[in-house]
Amino acid sequence: MIKVLIWNEYHHETFPGRPQELYPDGMHNAIARGIAAPDLEIRTATLKSDEFQGLSDEALSWADVLVYWAHCRHDDVLDETAHRVARHVRNGLGFVPLHSAHGSKVFRELMGTNCNLRWRNMDEREHLWVVSPRHPVAAGVPAEFALASEEMYGEYFDIPKPEDIVFLGWFKGGNVFRSGLEFTRGYGKIFYFQPGHESCPTYHNPHVLKVISNAVRYCARTAAEPRFNGEFEYGVEPL
Amino acid sequence: MIKVLIWNEYHHETFPGRPQELYPDGMHNAIARGIAAPDLEIRTATLKSDEFQGLSDEALSWADVLVYWAHCRHDDVLDETAHRVARHVRNGLGFVPLHSAHGSKVFRELMGTNCNLRWRNMDEREHLWVVSPRHPVAAGVPAEFALASEEMYGEYFDIPKPEDIVFLGWFKGGNVFRSGLEFTRGYGKIFYFQPGHESCPTYHNPHVLKVISNAVRYCARTAAEPRFNGEFEYGVEPL
Amino acid sequence: MIKVLIWNEYHHETFPGRPQELYPDGMHNAIARGIAAPDLEIRTATLKSDEFQGLSDEALSWADVLVYWAHCRHDDVLDETAHRVARHVRNGLGFVPLHSAHGSKVFRELMGTNCNLRWRNMDEREHLWVVSPRHPVAAGVPAEFALASEEMYGEYFDIPKPEDIVFLGWFKGGNVFRSGLEFTRGYGKIFYFQPGHESCPTYHNPHVLKVISNAVRYCARTAAEPRFNGEFEYGVEPL
Amino acid sequence: MIKVLIWNEYHHETFPGRPQELYPDGMHNAIARGIAAPDLEIRTATLKSDEFQGLSDEALSWADVLVYWAHCRHDDVLDETAHRVARHVRNGLGFVPLHSAHGSKVFRELMGTNCNLRWRNMDEREHLWVVSPRHPVAAGVPAEFALASEEMYGEYFDIPKPEDIVFLGWFKGGNVFRSGLEFTRGYGKIFYFQPGHESCPTYHNPHVLKVISNAVRYCARTAAEPRFNGEFEYGVEPL
């Protein structure tokens, strides 16, 4: 049983507007329903869940993988919260940052770069292409699929070179993007996935949900992996 | 002084039609003029140059880097010619395969894969985006530039994972492509660049010529590098 | 159920000597017993199994992953046999070349390089170190383990840059080696593992067998993956 | 002319002992003399150089590449100093962290990981092997060279996967290490090189100095590269 924590800043969906129409009880719950499966035990949390912003040591130790959506509330996530999440990722927690989580404190800390990108919000068509067809995150996903409306995220995306690029995004307005990306940091596996603007029905798309389902299983830590505490520097005897 | 050999199958431009209008004396000569510089000594050769199809051991030993354009005459390149070129590349010859050279015997031998791709020939607009801005092949090239008309080359491009992706291509019809790619094989550096359909004025575009100029310098072997003969497997004494 | 084909040239073990003492019925059977598990259906084959050298289209289509040991009989493997295996790998067959299979026709065709290396046969101690601890092939393997006696394989190993390096080897005589390596070619996943000289008891070592067990599961194709025939280049309509 | 800033915490060499005997005026000056060349303009700085710890915006803007040695004074480098250096690196400053700089605030910020490793200080023999012979940093360096005495640095080295591994280190006591590593962060090129313990004569070794010389040229920013300020996220018009 893989333990999945889906975290959402849960801002846009809390007041009347397109996001609330699309996701009445929040994107975290839409995703939770969308990826529900017998081998997944799913919990959700938000910025206001508790005194630890929904991301306590206890919650992060429980989880095998953290799905993370955030956008306009990045600055409200405390530095200590971000450091705590990053530390858990390095120690083995899987991490699936979605869409605008590219600009979150956690992702930036793990990348070591600005993570800036071009963007344009005008509901334009996107095509996603698989460029690493053997990758487990692409299993069961067609070679190409379209989203009628998404926010444009375009290159240059200021990230370290990813370990694999599974999806490339094409946007009607002329831009391209590295849209599905694998990284490893310490014992933690990371998969970034670009689609998911709050005013688009992206998390109701079956292909998007399939990608997130795959990523959750791909990034989840397993019992076989050591849960290091990050303090394993030491003097050793010759062999 | 870097010694550059520009090889072209030289077929389409030899009879009346759009390619001949665009490149009256062949694409190899257009490229040669386009990248001419004081630090480059440039020669050209074609399939009919000599009994070695323009790619003799002598020519390949002279050269520091080989620019290679080919398309509908792949099968006319003898197996022994292709093996000879591949061997020189492994021993340090730089290699810059252009456009449809993706399907050449040489490139496929060096890649170990089919090198297949999607394609569509309808003169559509392409945008090229830099996704590795620190890479020397991108130096002096704008973050994005457009070609009014190119043949579409689209993913999935069946190649091994490249060591770096410098350019991504966007095509009006909805496709994307990994358009500028770095590989190393043995002592040889390889840079594949996608634009260059024979019926488009691509090799008159200053940005395209800048990329090829950069690639030629980036891939060229230097005196400091050993020119191994590929037979360096041997038993050794303990240190 | 993962279908595993373990192929061995089966030469050294067929006449009196150390290899026969260590592996009376061949290394292929030692490995088969060593990795046996409820989720694996295992068959073995050798150079003399049948008219297709044990590697017919039928056998390769049956298998999800091919474990391959070869050394002094590389030249006896027919070119058509090697091409057939390589083609199946590109179409999704997992491939786990062991030890001296680095010099096989199949591996060289898939790599596009010589695959040469330094070597020294004097039964020296090797230590294997995990350098990609999150990799599934390292699961359950200690951070370091020793082999009292192995053939030295040393750098420079003339291969394309691997997609991941899971193990590094240390040899008493002063050499190092990239000993556990991941590649992808087309739809096929490849894991090369260095230990396994025929006159050493390597395939009785539990850590070595654990690595091979992991690699078999990691590289095996799954039903979700398309079994392309390698002929998917085609013209397409705009989206 | 490439502008090189060599920074040293300059601690061990300031009081009597082996480091001071080996480097009477500091390792920074030994390196400066060792890599001096007509195309390099070299300055040095230390932790006590000025109110900005020798790493002011002015100094970092002047430099094209920063060579950085640090060990037991990591905590004395102010957070704002470390952030400033990291920001300059992302904006194009080359960065060559040496030896124990693996644990510096700057390197850890740029990597996004702990950067921990095994270590043992008993003056043991190290062999360095070239595993990327075509890489410019290996030009003119023998396929293998030995250091009679170094501090052992061993795997697992907790870093993101490097873009290239140019050197592997073998230590007499049984350990291996990824000793020469390339990374890119934003517009900055990084080359980490492991040898250089303060009580060993490493920075008098001609091969070590050759590697640092090469790295300085390889990582230096050039006029052709934009010096972004890290604030290039913006909305854009369709093309």
Side-chain angles (χ1 to χ4, degrees):
Chain A
M1 187 68 94
I2 296 172
K3 297 184 178 74
V4 185
L5 180 61
I6 304 178
W7 188 91
N8 181 7
E9 64 177 33
Y10 198 29
H11 170 77
H12 302 88
E13 311 97 310
T14 59
F15 49 87
R18 182 74 177 140
Q20 196 178 65
E21 290 165 22
L22 290 164
Y23 307 106
D25 58 351
M27 285 181 278
H28 48 302
N29 283 308
I31 295 170
R33 282 188 296 269
I35 68 170
D39 63 325
L40 303 182
E41 181 180 348
I42 302 175
R43 293 182 189 174
T44 62
T46 72
L47 195 57
K48 293 184 178 170
S49 285
D50 56 32
E51 60 183 314
F52 299 102
Q53 307 193 304
L55 296 163
S56 65
D57 271 319
E58 192 180 3
L60 297 169
S61 294
W62 170 82
D64 294 314
V65 56
L66 172 67
V67 179
Y68 188 103
W69 198 100
H71 185 193
C72 66
R73 302 293 298 279
H74 290 327
D75 289 345
D76 294 330
V77 174
L78 297 173
D79 285 356
E80 64 179 74
T81 303
H83 294 329
R84 188 167 57 241
V85 175
R87 193 173 61 245
H88 277 266
V89 172
R90 291 189 198 101
N91 290 350
L93 176 67
F95 186 45
V96 183
L98 297 176
H99 189 59
S100 41
H102 78 91
S104 65
K105 290 178 179 177
V106 180
F107 189 63
R108 291 162 67 127
E109 176 174 336
L110 289 166
M111 294 295 106
T113 57
N114 288 311
C115 303
N116 287 335
L117 46 77
R118 282 180 170 77
W119 57 272
R120 177 177 58 233
N121 192 354
M122 48 175 282
D123 283 355
E124 67 195 91
R125 181 161 48 103
E126 177 179 9
H127 294 283
L128 285 138
W129 290 92
V130 175
V131 294
S132 186
R134 176 57 177 75
H135 198 288
V137 175
V141 180
E144 176 273 337
F145 68 94
L147 300 170
S149 170
E150 250 301 336
E151 183 180 22
M152 187 281 286
Y153 271 22
E155 298 285 344
Y156 174 62
F157 185 17
D158 184 9
I159 46 167
K161 200 187 302 184
E163 295 170 33
D164 205 4
I165 301 174
V166 182
F167 299 98
L168 288 180
W170 175 103
F171 291 89
K172 188 166 190 297
N175 297 77
V176 291
F177 198 64
R178 290 170 289 173
S179 292
L181 304 174
E182 177 181 351
F183 301 92
T184 311
R185 290 295 180 271
Y187 295 84
K189 185 64 80 179
I190 300 168
F191 193 83
Y192 171 80
F193 192 49
Q194 159 262 315
H197 189 55
E198 67 271 7
S199 61
C200 301
T202 300
Y203 295 126
H204 296 306
N205 180 290
H207 300 311
V208 168
L209 292 169
K210 178 67 174 168
V211 171
I212 298 173
S213 291
N214 288 341
V216 157
R217 288 173 180 85
Y218 186 71
C219 296
R221 76 174 124 207
T222 66
E225 285 148 32
R227 300 196 180 198
F228 279 100
N229 66 358
E231 300 301 327
F232 58 96
E233 181 168 356
Y234 58 98
V236 292
E237 292 301 300
L239 293 166
Chain B
M1 187 69 93
I2 295 172
K3 297 186 179 73
V4 185
L5 179 62
I6 303 177
W7 189 90
N8 180 7
E9 63 176 34
Y10 199 29
H11 169 78
H12 304 87
E13 312 96 310
T14 59
F15 50 87
R18 184 71 177 142
Q20 196 178 65
E21 289 165 22
L22 290 165
Y23 306 107
D25 58 350
M27 286 181 278
H28 49 301
N29 283 308
I31 295 170
R33 282 188 296 270
I35 68 170
D39 63 327
L40 302 182
E41 181 180 346
I42 301 175
R43 293 182 189 172
T44 61
T46 71
L47 195 57
K48 293 183 178 170
S49 284
D50 57 31
E51 59 183 313
F52 299 102
Q53 307 195 302
L55 296 163
S56 65
D57 272 319
E58 193 180 3
L60 297 170
S61 294
W62 170 83
D64 294 315
V65 56
L66 171 68
V67 178
Y68 190 102
W69 198 100
H71 185 194
C72 65
R73 302 293 297 277
H74 289 328
D75 289 344
D76 294 329
V77 175
L78 298 173
D79 286 355
E80 64 179 75
T81 302
H83 294 330
R84 189 166 57 240
V85 175
R87 194 173 60 244
H88 277 266
V89 172
R90 291 189 197 100
N91 289 349
L93 174 68
F95 186 46
V96 182
L98 297 176
H99 189 58
S100 40
H102 77 90
S104 64
K105 290 179 180 177
V106 179
F107 189 63
R108 291 163 66 127
E109 177 173 336
L110 289 166
M111 293 296 106
T113 57
N114 288 311
C115 303
N116 287 336
L117 46 75
R118 283 180 170 78
W119 57 272
R120 178 177 57 231
N121 193 354
M122 47 176 284
D123 284 355
E124 67 195 90
R125 180 159 51 100
E126 177 178 9
H127 294 283
L128 284 139
W129 289 92
V130 175
V131 294
S132 186
R134 177 57 177 75
H135 198 288
V137 174
V141 180
E144 177 274 336
F145 68 94
L147 300 171
S149 171
E150 250 301 338
E151 183 180 22
M152 186 283 285
Y153 272 21
E155 300 286 347
Y156 174 62
F157 185 16
D158 184 10
I159 47 168
K161 203 187 300 184
E163 294 171 32
D164 206 5
I165 301 174
V166 183
F167 299 98
L168 288 179
W170 174 103
F171 291 90
K172 189 167 190 295
N175 297 78
V176 291
F177 198 65
R178 289 170 291 174
S179 292
L181 303 175
E182 177 181 353
F183 301 93
T184 311
R185 290 295 179 271
Y187 295 84
K189 186 63 80 180
I190 300 169
F191 193 83
Y192 171 79
F193 192 48
Q194 159 263 314
H197 189 55
E198 68 271 6
S199 60
C200 301
T202 300
Y203 295 124
H204 297 305
N205 180 290
H207 300 311
V208 168
L209 292 168
K210 179 66 174 167
V211 171
I212 298 173
S213 292
N214 287 342
V216 156
R217 288 173 179 84
Y218 186 71
C219 296
R221 77 174 124 208
T222 66
E225 284 150 32
R227 299 196 181 199
F228 280 99
N229 65 359
E231 300 301 327
F232 57 95
E233 180 168 356
Y234 57 97
V236 293
E237 292 301 300
L239 293 165
Chain C
M1 187 69 93
I2 295 173
K3 296 185 179 74
V4 185
L5 180 61
I6 304 178
W7 188 91
N8 181 9
E9 64 177 31
Y10 199 30
H11 170 78
H12 302 88
E13 311 97 310
T14 59
F15 50 87
R18 183 73 176 139
Q20 196 177 63
E21 289 166 22
L22 290 165
Y23 307 106
D25 58 350
M27 285 181 280
H28 48 301
N29 283 308
I31 295 169
R33 282 187 296 271
I35 68 171
D39 62 326
L40 302 183
E41 181 180 348
I42 301 176
R43 292 182 189 174
T44 63
T46 72
L47 195 57
K48 292 183 179 170
S49 285
D50 57 32
E51 60 184 312
F52 299 103
Q53 307 193 303
L55 297 162
S56 65
D57 271 319
E58 191 180 3
L60 298 169
S61 294
W62 171 83
D64 293 315
V65 55
L66 172 67
V67 179
Y68 188 104
W69 198 100
H71 185 195
C72 65
R73 303 293 297 279
H74 290 327
D75 289 345
D76 294 330
V77 174
L78 298 173
D79 285 356
E80 64 179 75
T81 303
H83 294 331
R84 189 166 57 241
V85 175
R87 193 173 61 244
H88 276 267
V89 173
R90 290 189 198 100
N91 289 350
L93 174 67
F95 185 46
V96 182
L98 297 176
H99 189 58
S100 41
H102 78 91
S104 64
K105 290 179 180 178
V106 179
F107 189 63
R108 292 162 65 126
E109 176 173 337
L110 289 167
M111 294 295 105
T113 58
N114 287 312
C115 303
N116 287 336
L117 46 77
R118 284 181 169 76
W119 58 272
R120 178 177 57 231
N121 192 353
M122 47 175 284
D123 284 355
E124 66 195 271
R125 181 160 48 103
E126 177 178 10
H127 292 284
L128 285 139
W129 290 92
V130 175
V131 294
S132 187
R134 176 58 177 75
H135 199 287
V137 174
V141 180
E144 177 273 338
F145 67 94
L147 300 171
S149 170
E150 251 300 338
E151 185 180 22
M152 187 281 286
Y153 271 22
E155 299 286 343
Y156 174 62
F157 185 16
D158 184 10
I159 46 167
K161 199 186 303 184
E163 293 170 33
D164 205 4
I165 301 174
V166 182
F167 299 98
L168 287 180
W170 174 103
F171 291 90
K172 189 167 189 297
N175 297 78
V176 291
F177 198 65
R178 291 170 290 173
S179 292
L181 304 174
E182 178 181 351
F183 301 93
T184 312
R185 291 295 180 271
Y187 294 84
K189 185 64 79 179
I190 300 169
F191 193 83
Y192 171 80
F193 192 48
Q194 159 264 315
H197 190 55
E198 68 271 8
S199 61
C200 300
T202 300
Y203 295 125
H204 296 306
N205 180 290
H207 300 310
V208 168
L209 292 169
K210 179 66 175 168
V211 171
I212 298 173
S213 291
N214 288 341
V216 156
R217 288 173 180 85
Y218 186 71
C219 296
R221 76 174 124 207
T222 65
E225 284 148 32
R227 301 195 181 199
F228 278 101
N229 65 358
E231 300 300 328
F232 58 95
E233 181 167 358
Y234 57 98
V236 292
E237 292 300 300
L239 292 165
Chain D
M1 186 69 93
I2 295 171
K3 297 186 178 73
V4 185
L5 180 61
I6 303 177
W7 188 90
N8 181 8
E9 63 176 34
Y10 198 30
H11 170 77
H12 303 88
E13 312 97 310
T14 60
F15 50 86
R18 183 70 177 142
Q20 195 177 67
E21 290 166 23
L22 290 165
Y23 306 107
D25 58 351
M27 286 181 278
H28 49 301
N29 283 308
I31 295 170
R33 283 187 296 270
I35 68 170
D39 63 325
L40 302 182
E41 181 180 348
I42 300 176
R43 292 182 189 173
T44 62
T46 71
L47 195 57
K48 293 183 179 172
S49 285
D50 56 32
E51 60 183 312
F52 300 103
Q53 308 194 304
L55 296 163
S56 66
D57 271 320
E58 192 179 4
L60 297 169
S61 294
W62 171 84
D64 294 315
V65 56
L66 171 67
V67 179
Y68 189 101
W69 197 101
H71 185 194
C72 64
R73 303 293 297 278
H74 290 328
D75 289 345
D76 294 329
V77 174
L78 298 173
D79 286 354
E80 64 179 76
T81 303
H83 294 330
R84 188 166 58 241
V85 175
R87 193 172 60 243
H88 277 265
V89 173
R90 291 189 198 101
N91 289 350
L93 175 67
F95 186 45
V96 182
L98 297 176
H99 188 58
S100 40
H102 77 90
S104 64
K105 290 179 180 177
V106 180
F107 189 62
R108 291 162 66 126
E109 177 174 336
L110 289 166
M111 293 296 106
T113 57
N114 288 311
C115 302
N116 287 335
L117 46 76
R118 283 181 170 77
W119 56 272
R120 177 177 58 231
N121 192 356
M122 47 175 284
D123 283 356
E124 66 196 270
R125 180 159 51 101
E126 177 179 9
H127 293 283
L128 285 139
W129 290 92
V130 175
V131 294
S132 186
R134 175 58 176 75
H135 198 287
V137 174
V141 180
E144 177 274 336
F145 68 94
L147 300 171
S149 171
E150 250 301 338
E151 183 180 22
M152 186 282 285
Y153 272 22
E155 299 287 346
Y156 173 62
F157 186 16
D158 185 10
I159 47 168
K161 202 187 300 185
E163 294 171 30
D164 205 4
I165 301 173
V166 183
F167 300 98
L168 287 180
W170 174 103
F171 292 90
K172 188 167 189 295
N175 298 78
V176 290
F177 198 65
R178 289 170 291 173
S179 291
L181 304 174
E182 177 180 352
F183 301 93
T184 311
R185 289 295 179 273
Y187 295 83
K189 186 63 81 179
I190 300 169
F191 193 83
Y192 171 80
F193 193 48
Q194 159 262 314
H197 189 54
E198 67 270 8
S199 61
C200 301
T202 300
Y203 296 125
H204 297 304
N205 180 290
H207 300 312
V208 168
L209 293 168
K210 179 67 175 168
V211 171
I212 298 173
S213 291
N214 287 342
V216 156
R217 288 172 179 85
Y218 185 71
C219 296
R221 75 175 125 206
T222 66
E225 284 150 32
R227 301 196 181 198
F228 279 101
N229 65 358
E231 300 300 327
F232 58 96
E233 180 168 357
Y234 57 99
V236 292
E237 292 301 301
L239 293 165

